[in-house]
Amino acid sequence: MGTIVQKYGGTSVDGREKLLSVAKNVAALRSAGNDVVVVVSAPGLMTDGLIRDAHALAESPSQRELDMLMTAGERVSMSLLSIALNAMGCPAVSFTGSQVGIITDTRHTDARILEVRPFRVIQELAQGNVVVVGGFQGVSTAKDVTTLGRGGSDTTAVVLAAALGAERCEILTDVAGVYTADPNLVPASRLLEVVSYEDMHELARLGASVLKEDAVTFAERHGIKLIVKASGSDTQGTIVLSEPLGPTAPITGLSLHRDAFLARWRVGGDGGVGIPRLDGNVRPLFTVSTGGEVLVALDETGSRAVRHPTHEPAELQEVALLCAVGPGAGTAETVAAAAGAITEAGGTPLVVCAGCRSIVLALERNGSTDMLRSLHALFFEAPGGQVSGGRGA
Ligand code: ASP
Ligand code: MG
């Protein structure tokens, strides 16, 4: 039988009962004859707690030491799970990212993976062991421990699946899969049976936390069959794959990025500055230019880079980004309908940016969840709307 990579998120490994239930699932998968690699996140909100501890000691802690600290959370989960599996009679061994050969660049707290050399995983699987891997971490070309950015355990799972030629990669989480919008914010949201890599990538990039953007990029590049589903349930979840054949709904789903920033530079003219040069590591969520201004939407990391004194000073505004993604998201009709729905709900789109497969509205953070619900009602709850057609997306 083939190799299956499973990733369990923080809520699934938070406490004895949950760990035991994960261990039972894993042992059953192993007993069915599969080679099993399990990637785990830190329990619950442990990573947040560790970051808080560091900031209680220093205003800007060393990024290297932060990585050292944060990887401790995943070590707790991986060793406990391995202990539970062995106690159940299912032989297992746990490894750090470094031990399974995840080699990254030297960008602490947000490192990129350069190479994966999973020799020890292959050896242990061949000996019949379940391999438990601490997610979210690697080792840099300078031999220091690195982390892959918040939510990076998804990336660990997908790169290992690719390096091992796994049959599939399952992301087991606290929701039943990918929804038309975050089900914790939009009670009327619906589970998607399938999502294309392209739409999933855009949703993740623009704030959907169910999957990490880099993980989707790797999955697409290596053709990994990615399944997102609830841990401890038999439901089918969501399959992320290449664009499915057949009819598709114009809008696949919505995301909300509640911690975004708009950086504003005046360019040219009297008192204006030159074209802002963004640090090469900053990934803008979108860029638009209008009336002598350049506006760049950034996440927290990007905004920190822009605040750095070496940067061309920008006016920074806290915003939320509300996004609709899908094959018909960038049409003039969709843009007008979305902006209209937001205005009608009492919101003010500060900037609207439409791409060929997405539309992003920058809004005040306050009240942005209500705006998400209004947009969901427009696209997914209208009688006779796209809800009834297409692939159910
Ligand atoms: N524990 C890390 C985080 O909280 C990585 C992860 O959960 O994927 O971001
Ligand atoms: Mg996550």
Side-chain angles (χ1 to χ4, degrees):
M1 282 224 188
T3 303
I4 297 171
V5 177
Q6 288 197 321
K7 178 252 166 177
Y8 289 90
T11 35
S12 309
V13 291
D14 194 13
R16 186 176 168 275
E17 292 304 315
K18 289 185 174 170
L19 258 177
L20 282 174
S21 129
V22 169
K24 254 188 240 155
N25 278 352
V26 170
L29 205 58
R30 177 74 196 94
S31 299
N34 301 287
D35 282 344
V36 187
V37 176
V38 189
V39 175
V40 283
S41 291
L45 301 176
M46 187 180 279
T47 311
D48 292 325
L50 293 171
I51 295 172
R52 263 199 311 276
D53 290 348
H55 284 275
L57 293 168
E59 203 181 312
S60 46
S62 142
Q63 300 284 294
R64 179 193 181 278
E65 299 308 330
L66 260 183
D67 272 351
M68 213 53 153
L69 178 68
M70 286 193 288
T71 51
E74 272 66 17
R75 275 199 190 216
V76 170
S77 302
M78 72 190 211
S79 46
L80 286 177
L81 180 59
S82 189
I83 288 168
L85 283 164
N86 281 302
M88 254 172 210
C90 174
V93 59
S94 72
F95 287 128
T96 63
S98 159
Q99 288 174 303
V100 296
I102 295 180
I103 318 290
T104 73
D105 64 12
T106 54
R107 233 171 92 190
H108 282 291
T109 74
D110 198 19
R112 298 292 91 139
I113 295 172
L114 302 174
E115 203 186 331
V116 183
R117 302 181 196 150
F119 306 119
R120 296 196 69 180
V121 181
I122 295 166
Q123 254 171 27
E124 295 294 336
L125 289 176
Q127 284 171 25
N129 290 315
V130 165
V131 177
V132 185
V133 180
F136 168 59
Q137 52 183 282
V139 62
S140 76
T141 45
K143 297 191 170 58
D144 276 319
V145 169
T146 48
T147 59
L148 309 175
R150 296 304 304 273
S153 297
D154 293 345
T155 316
T156 305
V158 175
V159 296
L160 280 176
L164 297 167
E167 188 184 300
R168 62 179 191 268
C169 179
E170 298 180 349
I171 306 288
L172 294 128
T173 176
D174 53 356
V175 288
V178 182
Y179 283 73
T180 48
D182 183 341
N184 297 310
L185 303 177
V186 184
S189 61
R190 289 180 304 108
L191 183 70
L192 300 170
E193 277 171 32
V194 292
V195 183
S196 67
Y197 290 121
E198 200 176 359
D199 286 347
M200 193 60 240
H201 183 267
E202 202 59 359
L203 284 168
R205 190 178 78 82
L206 294 167
S209 58
V210 63
L211 267 181
K212 174 123 175 122
E213 179 193 347
D214 295 347
V216 184
T217 309
F218 273 108
E220 177 165 26
R221 193 177 302 157
H222 297 278
I224 303 293
K225 185 172 174 191
L226 196 55
I227 297 165
V228 185
K229 59 182 191 177
S231 73
S233 128
D234 288 335
T235 51
Q236 217 195 314
T238 303
I239 303 178
V240 188
L241 37 61
S242 308
E243 190 70 64
L245 294 172
T248 52
I251 309 293
T252 303
L254 309 179
S255 66
L256 178 63
H257 198 312
R258 282 194 282 192
D259 311 307
F261 293 82
L262 263 188
R264 200 181 285 264
W265 286 272
R266 292 213 307 116
V267 286
D270 270 1
V273 298
I275 307 286
R277 250 185 308 274
L278 281 179
D279 179 322
N281 291 331
V282 173
R283 295 195 264 186
L285 297 164
F286 70 72
T287 304
V288 293
S289 179
T290 157
E293 284 185 329
V294 175
L295 292 158
V296 182
L298 299 166
D299 61 10
E300 175 68 43
T301 315
S303 81
R304 235 181 294 127
V306 167
R307 268 185 243 134
H308 200 270
T310 55
H311 243 283
E312 200 87 60
E315 203 182 294
L316 271 177
Q317 183 181 6
E318 291 187 348
V319 292
L321 301 179
L322 178 51
C323 319
V325 170
T331 64
E333 199 186 351
T334 312
V335 174
I342 296 304
T343 311
E344 207 170 292
T348 311
L350 304 167
V351 183
V352 180
C353 176
C356 61
R357 220 178 161 104
S358 64
I359 165 178
V360 189
L361 300 107
L363 307 166
E364 296 277 341
R365 288 187 185 174
N366 234 341
S368 58
T369 308
D370 291 336
M371 300 303 141
L372 171 68
R373 292 187 187 128
S374 301
L375 213 55
H376 194 274
L378 169 74
F379 289 132
F380 298 101
E381 298 162 49
Q386 66 166 26
V387 177
S388 54
R391 61 184 154 125

